[in-house]
Amino acid sequence: MVALSLLTTLPERLLNCRATELHAILGGPTLIHLKGKQAAPLFVSILLHGNETTGLPAVQALLKSKASLPRDLIIFVGNTAAAEKGARRLKNQPDYNRIWAGGELAEHRLAQQVLDYVANTGPVAAVDIHNNTGRNPLYACINHVDRRFVSLAQSFSNTIVFFSEPHQVLANNMARYCPAVTLECGLAGEPSGIEQAIATLEFGLYGDLDVATSELEDCSVFHTVARMRVPADSSIHFADSPSSADFTLPMSLDNWNFTRLKPNTHFAYCNSEHATLSVSNDAGRDVTGEYFYRDGNRLFTRRPFIPSMLTLDEKVIQQDCVGYIMEPYPLAG
């Protein structure tokens, strides 16, 4: 049973706990609505993925630094059960960042409760804090190319990714009510990711998103156009030479994130006809042949492209994807 708790005061232990302790403190997904001088709140989501922990120390540091809040702050603490185990999600759970566009599960109903509650408060901005499991630069994701969204994203990084799929993510559905952003804070626990997340929370509490704070031409904006996946039951090994696994991926795979891969780059070893890396575009169409070709058991890039979110975490690859394919996205001035 998944139930949403609503608190109007901060549990004392929350300010100094670790992510693994949150389930014992809160008991499950929890909304914490803290009052500030202005009613229109900043909404912050942490731990939709239980092993992506940067949001917790960022929120803790923010709250410790404030004798009072300049505006209401609503904190959603997501998958505490997975956080307790240090896992992205538990085996019997859906992905907590894929439940925000409706569905039949209890988690879908919980997500709708959160959306309804926050929408009724008139939020000024929404910030969903995540980590990568592979090496990436700090970057912010937006689902609408609008100056307010870009301004919020730039408070975190001048590297911005625009995407429309998967559409079930929290920020995309919060964007109906206010500017919303997903922060990709690098590897969990890295100080630079925590510091930049705090900067964005400060901006959301004090900034005016209707006033441009930086120039659009300062941004490097990318658009995700496709997603790379392997069958969920695939065996995966990381090495620079073939193995007996279904897929053998380079040990330095995540070094390719946000770099431009050239045609004919050796991407992976595939050890059977059934071990196939597939690429689908935003419309769900299979476009594998546009990006890759096979020569025996070796997989090569067919055309240049920029990958992101490539990871060395086998479970993340099985549960989600190998990574995304991006293109530069020009912004109108």
Side-chain angles (χ1 to χ4, degrees):
M1 180 66 181
V2 181
L4 178 68
S5 297
L6 175 62
L7 303 177
T8 55
T9 58
L10 193 72
E12 185 177 344
R13 289 176 59 198
L14 194 140
L15 277 180
N16 297 292
C17 71
R18 293 172 295 184
T20 52
E21 300 171 299
L22 279 170
H23 194 64
I25 296 170
L26 299 175
T30 302
L31 271 177
I32 305 170
H33 189 162
L34 305 177
K35 291 297 182 179
K37 294 176 182 178
Q38 298 182 52
L42 171 66
F43 172 70
V44 183
S45 172
I46 66 174
L47 287 163
L48 291 190
H49 296 142
N51 61 344
E52 299 179 13
T53 57
T54 284
L56 179 60
V59 167
Q60 289 170 330
L62 180 81
L63 291 174
K64 287 177 182 179
S65 72
K66 307 291 178 202
S68 62
L69 292 168
R71 64 172 65 255
D72 282 17
L73 178 66
I74 300 177
I75 306 161
F76 177 58
V77 186
N79 197 340
T80 60
E84 186 175 46
K85 305 297 183 183
R88 177 183 175 91
R89 63 177 174 87
L90 300 183
K91 189 174 181 180
N92 62 336
Q93 293 179 322
D95 186 322
Y96 268 49
N97 203 24
R98 303 291 187 274
I99 59 174
W100 301 91
E104 301 300 320
L105 299 176
E107 289 85 356
H108 294 118
R109 293 189 290 274
L110 179 144
Q112 191 60 54
Q113 283 182 273
V114 173
L115 291 173
D116 290 344
Y117 181 90
V118 178
N120 286 333
T121 65
V124 295
V127 178
D128 185 22
I129 303 178
H130 285 260
N131 289 106
N132 302 125
T133 51
R135 286 166 288 188
N136 289 267
L138 301 183
Y139 65 98
C141 298
I142 55 176
N143 308 109
H144 297 269
V145 182
D146 171 289
R147 184 176 283 273
R148 298 173 306 151
F149 287 72
V150 173
S151 183
L152 181 61
Q154 279 190 283
S155 70
F156 181 73
S157 174
N158 280 332
T159 301
I160 299 172
V161 174
F162 162 61
F163 72 91
S164 53
E165 290 294 337
H167 66 278
Q168 304 95 334
V169 301
L170 171 57
N172 185 48
N173 291 279
M174 279 302 307
R176 288 177 283 174
Y177 312 114
C178 62
V181 67
T182 304
L183 306 185
E184 296 290 353
C185 299
L187 299 175
E190 286 188 341
S192 59
I194 296 170
E195 291 166 7
Q196 285 305 110
I198 294 169
T200 297
L201 299 183
E202 293 275 3
F203 180 76
L205 286 175
Y206 292 99
D208 185 349
L209 272 65
D210 291 322
V211 177
T213 58
S214 52
E215 298 298 324
L216 295 183
E217 56 264 28
D218 292 340
C219 300
S220 296
V221 182
F222 302 91
H223 178 209
T224 60
V225 294
R227 187 181 184 194
M228 299 175 281
R229 284 181 282 192
V230 299
D233 59 353
S234 299
S235 58
I236 298 165
H237 183 67
F238 295 96
D240 295 322
S241 56
S243 73
S244 60
D246 293 327
F247 293 92
T248 305
L249 296 165
M251 294 180 68
S252 58
L253 180 72
D254 55 351
N255 281 344
W256 285 337
N257 284 323
F258 286 82
T259 67
R260 188 173 181 84
L261 294 185
K262 296 178 180 180
N264 304 312
T265 298
H266 180 212
F267 196 87
Y269 291 99
C270 308
N271 286 332
S272 75
E273 288 300 318
H274 302 293
T276 303
L277 182 145
S278 63
V279 183
S280 56
N281 65 13
D282 283 352
R285 185 169 65 88
D286 187 295
V287 291
T288 308
E290 295 181 21
Y291 292 97
F292 292 100
Y293 69 91
R294 284 182 66 159
D295 182 2
N297 69 339
R298 297 190 296 172
L299 187 72
F300 292 90
T301 58
R302 186 180 296 279
R303 55 185 284 189
F305 65 83
I306 303 169
S308 67
M309 296 188 76
L310 297 175
T311 176
L312 301 182
D313 190 314
E314 179 181 343
K315 283 191 175 180
V316 170
I317 291 173
Q318 292 166 332
Q319 293 178 349
D320 188 27
C321 66
V322 178
Y324 291 85
I325 292 173
M326 308 189 300
E327 296 176 351
Y329 188 89
L331 282 179

